[in-house]
Amino acid sequence: MLKDSSLPRNVTLHLTENCNLRCKMCYFWGETGTSSNNLSGKKPAVMDFELAKKIISELSSVTPFYSLFGGEPLTYPFLEELIIRIKKTGSIVDTPTNGTLLAKNASMLVRTGFDSIRVSLDGPQDVNDIQRGKGSYAKAIKGIETLYNEREKAGKKKPTISLIYTITNDNYTSLEKLFLEDLDLNKIDWVTIQMQNFLTESMGKSYAKFLKSEFGISSDKYWKAMVRSPEDFANIDTEELSRQVKRVIAKLCSMHKNYLLLPPTFSQVNIKAYLGAKWEEMTDIYKTCLSPLTSIDITASGDVAPCHIFYDLVLGNLNEKKICDIWNGDKFQKFRSYFSQYNLLPVCSGCCILYLSGKKFRKLAKSKI
């Protein structure tokens, strides 16, 4: 049996590229998304269940933390059996979701012992539906209520129910209304408030040079979907945003609710630096990322990527090699060596995973405002 250090401890399974919504800011199906702008004519990929079973079996010795990813993970046709197999190995499993299919799956998620559901909700009904599509708010709220009631009926505390609020131009003034007026926070266990991930064109071009020179890769499918200009965020009033976040956090603290801020410091100055792509001026500065040492993403087609979202960099495919061979192989070792020398990739600064993997913020609820 392999030692723990020779296999990843955090695994994201990109189960499907399919999604039932078309959220404006989404880097897969949004206005600049990889799938929205795909001219190849190929159908969205869905992970073969036989491959999923092989992954779970090979990693059973280390019981990694699994995160299911999409597209919309709740559209995966083998979801229940997948969860059962993961839980039988003793692993923890969670998923982000747009929440619109949550009511339909609530009973199953409680029955299978699923650990955590993270529902994306980006404002009150009118604001959320502008960003995510008409009717999405009502379906997500119904999903949360149904899951909560199923959990209570079964006398269980899982799945925990989290909300993810992604801040954009359309919704940055709506935090107070959603959290202080509209939501029943008694049904929510965690709240994440995060800035929209992005990178500049110059960062993307530097990343492209890295991919070509170090790995001979010319793909730009994924990183281009993340490109934004600081001018795109010029209308965001960072003072107002910081004020609203502060009030929401005060409310959550008064109710003893867990919360996470990405970036961890939501001061006016810090957020202004973030939106201006002046990451070197931020309070939250990180020297490196721990993900290459602990984590992998496995795409629906079986590609193994060392970075979440940035699937242009692929270090192997599970239809050709085992996870252990890729994880301990020459390409992954080369990638880690690059990190040990340069600490970060050109695209890292605008990625919220960087904040999650920083040693300084292991205690997630201790965020600053």
Side-chain angles (χ1 to χ4, degrees), residues 121-139 141 174 177-178 182:
L121 207 61
D122 294 339
Q125 182 167 338
D126 57 338
V127 175
N128 180 86
D129 287 5
I130 288 173
Q131 190 150 296
R132 293 187 170 271
K134 187 175 181 180
S136 58
Y137 178 91
K139 290 178 182 177
I141 292 296
S174 300
K177 187 171 191 315
L178 178 68
D182 293 3

Side-chain angles (χ1 to χ4, degrees), residues 10-60:
N10 302 293
V11 179
T12 297
L13 297 179
H14 185 206
L15 296 178
T16 177
E17 294 177 347
N18 285 309
C19 189
N20 60 331
L21 294 185
R22 295 293 181 264
C23 306
K24 290 171 63 176
M25 72 298 182
C26 178
Y27 34 77
F28 285 115
W29 285 105
E31 293 173 341
T32 64
T34 58
S35 297
S36 302
N37 297 298
N38 183 7
L39 301 177
S40 67
K42 293 182 179 178
K43 292 182 179 180
V46 177
M47 182 175 287
D48 182 84
F49 189 49
E50 292 302 313
L51 175 59
K53 289 192 288 187
K54 285 171 58 178
I55 293 167
I56 295 166
S57 177
E58 185 176 349
L59 295 175
S60 62

Side-chain angles (χ1 to χ4, degrees), residues 294-329:
T294 61
S295 308
I296 58 169
D297 276 52
I298 302 172
T299 73
S301 57
D303 286 335
V304 174
C307 292
H308 187 54
I309 302 170
F310 295 104
Y311 296 160
D312 295 304
L313 177 56
V314 171
L315 301 180
N317 187 283
L318 293 181
N319 293 303
E320 301 167 359
K321 293 183 179 180
K322 293 182 178 181
I323 293 175
C324 60
D325 295 330
I326 296 173
W327 181 253
N328 299 295

Side-chain angles (χ1 to χ4, degrees), residues 197-233:
N197 292 346
F198 77 100
L199 60 144
T200 63
E201 185 74 30
S202 62
M203 291 166 64
K205 289 180 178 179
S206 295
Y207 181 61
K209 289 181 180 179
F210 156 78
L211 292 176
K212 188 68 176 178
S213 63
E214 298 296 323
F215 294 96
I217 294 172
S218 57
S219 172
D220 59 7
K221 176 180 177 181
Y222 294 96
W223 71 257
K224 277 195 171 181
M226 299 287 290
V227 171
R228 301 288 187 277
S229 167
E231 294 179 0
D232 295 341
F233 308 109

Side-chain angles (χ1 to χ4, degrees), residues 102-154:
L102 190 52
K104 176 183 176 181
N105 289 279
S107 178
M108 179 273 290
L109 292 167
V110 173
R111 183 176 65 253
T112 56
F114 199 82
D115 292 282
S116 179
I117 289 288
R118 294 177 282 135
V119 182
S120 293
L121 207 61
D122 294 339
Q125 182 167 338
D126 57 338
V127 175
N128 180 86
D129 287 5
I130 288 173
Q131 190 150 296
R132 293 187 170 271
K134 187 175 181 180
S136 58
Y137 178 91
K139 290 178 182 177
I141 292 296
K142 181 181 178 182
I144 290 169
E145 292 175 346
T146 304
L147 180 59
Y148 179 84
N149 292 336
E150 288 287 337
R151 196 178 70 177
E152 290 293 296
K153 186 170 63 176

